[in-house]
Amino acid sequence: MIGTIISVILLLIVLGVILWAVQQLLPLVPLPAPFHTIINVLVTVLVVIVVVYIIASLLGVVSPIRM
């Protein structure tokens, strides 16, 4: 159980760093405003889906995560 909690915490840290990096680097890429917004929303939705999947697997709603 402790190993699972540590794995989940590490995964959330990695997801947070990826989300932060995308939000920091996206303004450096010359894109029109709609594309910038679309990319930001897609990355945020992807992170939310992964977090919901992790929570659902810990609650036993879906198959557990194999790390």
Side-chain angles (χ1 to χ4, degrees), residues 41-62:
V41 168
L42 286 177
V43 169
T44 305
V45 167
L46 181 66
V47 169
V48 168
I49 288 172
V50 170
V51 169
V52 167
Y53 181 77
I54 291 171
I55 292 171
S57 66
L58 289 176
L59 294 175
V61 176
V62 295

Side-chain angles (χ1 to χ4, degrees), residues 2-27:
I2 297 295
T4 303
I5 293 172
I6 292 172
S7 297
V8 168
I9 290 172
L10 289 176
L11 183 63
L12 291 175
I13 289 171
V14 169
L15 285 174
V17 169
I18 291 172
L19 181 63
W20 173 82
V22 168
Q23 289 179 346
Q24 295 296 317
L25 295 176
L26 200 55

